[in-house]
Amino acid sequence: MHDATTGGHRHHDTTAATGHDGRQNPDVDDETVRFWEEHYGRHDRVWSGRANPILVEVAGQLPAGTVLDLGCGEGGDAIWLAGQGWRVTAVDVSETALARAAEEATTAGVASRVEFRRHDLTRTFPPGEYDLVSAQFLQSPLEFPRAELLRSAARAVAPGGRLLVVEHGEAPPWGRHDHGHARFSTPQETLAALDLDPDRWQTERLDAPSRQATGPDGETGMLVDNVVLVRRTR
């Protein structure tokens, strides 16, 4: 997920959890689909379109290979990665977000290097192994088995590849009233929850840097990003 911006309103059908024959789709959760379709349907654009800065910092120093972008949203990270020569598999539960991302990839001239797939990651996970698996702000107001999902992400890393997890370390200044009782994990807690075999994994980065950011109504403030970067050694 990406830093929020505001835009105009758009109506979108929120019945995406049902198939064309009207039956429920077992691969997606109705509540999850409804929440994210309403989230994206409120504006013509939700995120800035820019790649997340930690991803740019990390991936920019790696040789391009295959990458799995979890919760790709409107495609800012996926499009940037494709522009750097990566072969990208980008997944999200929202059909609205995926459609916007695909349109942006075509406009950017990188559509041939990005495959957008719809997954409710609590139900299905993309197959295969990747040189980089990126989980950028894979956090949600909805309850979901995040630690289990991140362990699935680790299993998708190829030998020699990396898992990069970036998450909010605290509520943004403009959103603290929405997260008054929320508890944010530390990078160390996120790493521990991955339950990685120390004989097969090396920790390359574990920190919580701050950065200046702009909120949805133009306000500025400091954000804390938890960063976990691990490499699968074999």
Side-chain angles (χ1 to χ4, degrees), residues 41-207:
R42 282 194 291 268
H43 303 291
D44 288 329
R45 176 184 287 277
V46 173
W47 310 119
S48 69
R50 297 184 296 272
N52 283 296
I54 302 284
L55 174 69
V56 171
E57 180 182 340
V58 170
Q61 301 178 39
L62 300 175
T66 57
V67 55
L68 175 61
D69 181 11
L70 299 173
C72 67
E74 292 164 325
D77 287 351
I79 292 166
W80 180 84
L81 286 160
Q84 305 303 304
W86 292 80
R87 302 289 301 185
V88 186
T89 300
V91 304
D92 204 280
V93 71
S94 169
E95 291 183 320
T96 299
L98 290 170
R100 293 176 187 174
E103 183 177 349
E104 291 293 328
T106 298
T107 300
V110 298
S112 65
R113 292 197 292 276
V114 187
E115 181 180 359
F116 292 103
R117 300 180 186 173
R118 187 181 187 223
H119 281 272
D120 178 344
L121 292 169
T122 67
R123 299 286 183 91
T124 62
F125 198 90
E129 291 187 332
Y130 302 83
D131 299 311
L132 175 65
V133 177
S134 174
Q136 301 289 309
F137 305 103
L138 200 63
Q139 293 159 292
S140 171
L142 302 177
E143 290 291 331
F144 73 108
R146 187 169 182 273
E148 180 181 330
L149 197 161
L150 291 178
R151 287 192 287 269
S152 294
R155 289 192 291 270
V157 177
R162 291 168 172 83
L163 169 64
L164 172 63
V165 180
V166 182
E167 59 194 7
H168 297 294
E170 61 183 36
W174 47 83
R176 284 180 181 148
H177 62 283
D178 297 324
H179 302 84
H181 301 291
R183 182 187 179 280
F184 294 83
S185 299
T186 66
Q188 292 78 11
E189 288 170 334
T190 297
L191 177 61
L194 289 171
D195 194 26
L196 301 175
D197 182 349
D199 292 330
R200 299 177 58 220
W201 290 90
Q202 176 184 351
T203 301
E204 295 190 328
R205 181 171 176 180
L206 191 66
D207 60 0

